[in-house]
Amino acid sequence: MISSLQRHNIVLVVVLLVLVFSLSYLRHATNQIERPLPGELTYSPSPSPAPPPPPLPPILTSRLPGDVPDDRSPCDKVEFGWLASDRKYWDGWASKAMFMSPDGNFTTMNLSIVAGETLCAVVQLGPIPAVAAIRPEIHFAPADSITIQAVGGSVKIPINLQQHPKQSNIYFSPVRFTHPDTYRLESTTEYRSYFWESPLSHPHRPFHYSSHNTLTVTHESSSEKQRPALGFCDDDSAVTGSWVNQTEFRRAFPRAAYDRFEDTQSDYSVDQRVYVPDTCRLRSLSPVQVTECLDLKTIHVWGDDQIKRNIKAFVSNDQWCRTTNDDDNGCGCNDDWDLSPTGNVTMMYSALDSIYNTNWRDDMQTRTAEMPEADVVILGVGNQEVGINRLSSSQFWNVLMEFLYEVTTHIYPTQKIILRTPQYFCCGTIHNSAWNQGRSRAFANVFRHAVQQLDSDRIILWDTHKIGVDDNVCPGSINSKRNLINIENNLLWNFLCPAPL
């Protein structure tokens, strides 16, 4: 027989266990869905022969560069709290995308604005699944992996959404509409609740939805001469823009098309679209012009197959994948060309597939000792790491910062350094790989944030990720289509070869 004292002790133990489990669950369930970056974000370098680096400077901003557009005023007018609580136009479950009116109000009506104006695009998702499973760490991208574009008959505009800090199932972004067309928002959600971080552990079940209202953008003037003159692109302002049908662009803006492309427009179009920045003029520099600009300079290039494809296009004088039919041999998505030097530019490529758990430090020190001293260094890393399922973006932050500290302090202490973002990827997954749109975005944000934190005039971010759209990705791989590489290179040459005053 169990005495009353023993029964009392058993009941007490059970109550304590229930209390412990309840507190543990509540602690995880109340974690914020999108944790803001702390005031200071540092990294812990792994043990190495090199002396430990000094503390990094404080983060310049708590927001991720590249995730938050500069012009947020249209979205500042939106009552996001009302959107989240509305049950007249939203059932609280289905996902939807919408254009907000210029005054920030919700509307089911079609809208019309003048070219050059900005509206707020909003995505509203259903209830957040698996809240308790979210790890309390910095994720470098929002909880939900969403791809969204404003699509017209001739224009496609990539949109980079920001998660609302309080209404965590609402995403928004101001969008500048520079080109006349009638647009609809086309959106796909691939993963919820940070499941994109470990895609091999979660099924890929994307769902697509379009905006119910449309937006018509009209000409401000029938004369192109009245368009305000834009300066040349010589900084990262070139990475916010639109993809415009090349025939329509030449018809609507013949002078701008000729000034930029002359007779080379087909070399800078992907699927019949050309990339047009919103706020500056992008010059199309030929390999000959770039060679003249970089005359007698020595350039060290370190990276994987993606940066190698960029270099191949340049050193082959843009002849790589130009002598055969792309549809016949698929060279536009493959790598069937050897690297060789060109002109008066000494461009020396060294393979560096990964900076995670590899002996990259010794390899770089040995190789640089064998090469002529560099004037410019181009780094293209991170793609291998995106595909590693066990490596999170917050872990990669430490890996990248240790790499950049060593490179900028000991290996190349005085040279100008170009840091290329990882590939843009959309949509779907790759077999036995962690590649997906969410991880691609998060790892690109790591690079943006690293350059911001290092805050050095000699470190330039080559943001190839931000001009990406789904049409430009080779099916079944992370490779960009051949002509997109010309556009990526053109961004770089505009940075390195500023227009004469």
Side-chain angles (χ1 to χ4, degrees):
M1 297 292 293
I2 300 177
S3 66
S4 59
L5 180 60
Q6 289 174 322
R7 283 196 299 269
H8 176 77
N9 290 338
I10 291 174
V11 170
L12 182 61
V13 169
V14 171
V15 169
L16 289 174
L17 288 174
V18 170
L19 181 61
V20 168
F21 283 121
S22 299
L23 290 175
S24 177
Y25 172 80
L26 288 173
R27 180 174 61 86
H28 287 285
T30 55
N31 278 327
Q32 291 181 350
I33 301 304
E34 172 75 350
R35 296 171 60 89
L37 290 179
E40 295 186 1
L41 179 61
T42 59
Y43 72 96
S44 302
S46 58
S48 66
L56 289 173
I59 286 294
L60 302 180
T61 172
S62 63
R63 298 187 184 276
L64 288 170
D67 257 5
V68 183
D70 294 332
D71 181 10
R72 297 184 61 232
S73 56
C75 294
D76 286 342
K77 304 173 185 178
V78 178
E79 292 290 340
F80 292 106
W82 180 88
L83 283 177
S85 61
D86 168 58
R87 290 300 179 269
K88 180 178 180 181
Y89 300 100
W90 184 51
D91 62 6
W93 184 263
S95 297
K96 64 177 184 176
M98 68 200 90
F99 292 109
M100 307 303 291
S101 64
D103 59 7
N105 289 328
F106 169 81
T107 179
T108 60
M109 304 293 291
N110 296 332
L111 299 170
S112 180
I113 61 172
V114 173
E117 294 183 352
T118 303
L119 282 189
C120 189
V122 174
V123 165
Q124 195 166 2
L125 302 181
I128 301 169
V131 175
I134 297 174
R135 296 192 299 270
E137 64 181 20
I138 297 170
H139 299 273
F140 284 95
D144 304 298
S145 175
I146 306 171
T147 301
I148 183 170
Q149 299 161 342
V151 181
S154 303
V155 185
K156 177 177 284 191
I157 305 174
I159 300 174
N160 205 14
L161 293 173
Q162 175 191 351
Q163 188 176 25
H164 194 273
K166 295 181 179 179
Q167 310 297 336
S168 53
N169 64 326
I170 291 181
Y171 291 80
F172 65 94
S173 176
V175 185
R176 177 172 176 148
F177 293 89
T178 309
H179 304 278
D181 208 332
T182 298
Y183 297 88
R184 187 180 298 276
L185 294 174
E186 300 292 345
S187 184
T188 300
T189 300
E190 293 198 293
Y191 291 99
R192 303 289 311 272
S193 299
Y194 298 111
F195 285 177
W196 53 262
E197 287 190 311
S198 303
L200 298 184
S201 304
H202 304 282
H204 178 246
R205 294 171 180 167
F207 53 94
H208 180 82
Y209 43 100
S210 304
S211 60
H212 293 293
N213 59 345
T214 62
L215 172 68
T216 299
V217 179
T218 60
H219 285 281
E220 182 176 9
S221 169
S222 59
S223 173
E224 183 184 4
K225 294 180 180 179
Q226 297 186 19
R227 296 184 74 202
L230 299 177
F232 289 112
C233 302
D234 56 7
D235 56 26
D236 61 2
S237 60
V239 297
T240 301
S242 308
W243 288 91
V244 185
N245 176 272
Q246 62 180 8
T247 302
E248 176 61 22
F249 180 68
R250 187 175 289 276
R251 184 200 64 79
F253 308 115
R255 182 186 307 168
Y258 180 80
D259 288 346
R260 176 174 170 186
F261 300 110
E262 295 186 4
D263 296 323
T264 64
Q265 181 167 284
S266 61
D267 292 339
Y268 295 92
S269 65
V270 184
D271 294 335
Q272 305 300 312
R273 287 193 180 98
V274 293
Y275 181 72
V276 184
D278 286 339
T279 58
C280 62
R281 287 181 290 163
L282 191 65
R283 295 167 296 141
S284 295
L285 300 176
S286 69
V288 173
Q289 291 172 303
V290 175
T291 299
E292 292 175 353
C293 164
L294 302 177
D295 187 33
L296 302 179
K297 284 186 170 57
T298 297
I299 301 177
H300 292 185
V301 182
W302 293 88
D304 53 28
D305 287 343
Q306 302 307 320
I307 190 72
K308 185 178 179 181
R309 300 180 85 230
N310 289 101
I311 303 308
K312 280 195 296 189
F314 173 69
V315 301
S316 68
N317 197 28
D318 269 349
Q319 294 307 302
W320 165 48
C321 198
R322 292 291 185 235
T323 58
T324 55
N325 190 313
D326 290 358
D327 294 333
D328 290 341
N329 66 2
C331 70
C333 285
N334 295 328
D335 298 300
D336 50 351
W337 192 286
D338 293 328
L339 286 172
S340 57
T342 181
N344 293 327
V345 179
T346 302
M347 187 169 288
M348 312 188 74
Y349 169 79
S350 301
L352 182 60
D353 291 332
S354 176
I355 58 173
Y356 175 63
N357 284 344
T358 63
N359 195 23
W360 56 264
R361 183 181 287 103
D362 291 343
D363 292 344
M364 293 187 72
Q365 290 174 340
T366 300
R367 180 80 174 112
T368 52
E370 300 170 350
M371 296 188 292
E373 184 176 0
D375 299 296
V376 178
V377 180
I378 303 177
L379 304 174
V381 296
N383 290 297
Q384 180 95 2
E385 286 76 8
V386 177
I388 301 176
N389 191 66
R390 67 178 181 275
L391 183 66
S392 69
S393 54
S394 60
Q395 292 169 328
F396 181 67
W397 162 263
N398 291 327
V399 172
L400 181 64
M401 292 305 292
E402 182 175 354
F403 171 75
L404 291 178
Y405 174 82
E406 180 69 20
V407 168
T408 58
T409 305
H410 298 112
I411 302 177
Y412 296 109
T414 60
Q415 287 84 353
K416 181 184 294 291
I417 294 175
I418 312 296
L419 186 62
R420 184 189 189 277
T421 56
Q423 290 288 97
Y424 174 85
F425 181 78
C426 179
C427 299
T429 60
I430 295 178
H431 183 62
N432 287 334
S433 170
W435 269 94
N436 61 60
Q437 189 270 345
R439 284 179 65 88
S440 171
R441 175 178 175 178
F443 279 63
N445 278 337
V446 171
F447 279 73
R448 294 167 182 144
H449 207 67
V451 171
Q452 184 196 40
Q453 175 149 328
L454 291 173
D455 192 24
S456 171
D457 291 338
R458 66 187 184 92
I459 302 176
I460 299 175
L461 180 67
W462 182 11
D463 199 336
T464 61
H465 184 278
K466 205 169 183 182
I467 66 172
V469 292
D470 53 355
D471 297 337
N472 297 345
V473 180
C474 292
S477 78
I478 67 170
N479 290 351
S480 302
K481 292 181 179 177
R482 169 64 182 88
N483 276 11
L484 183 64
I485 294 174
N486 286 352
I487 300 171
E488 293 174 349
N489 285 354
N490 212 36
L491 291 176
L492 176 62
W493 307 143
N494 276 258
F495 297 162
L496 291 180
C497 304
L501 299 176

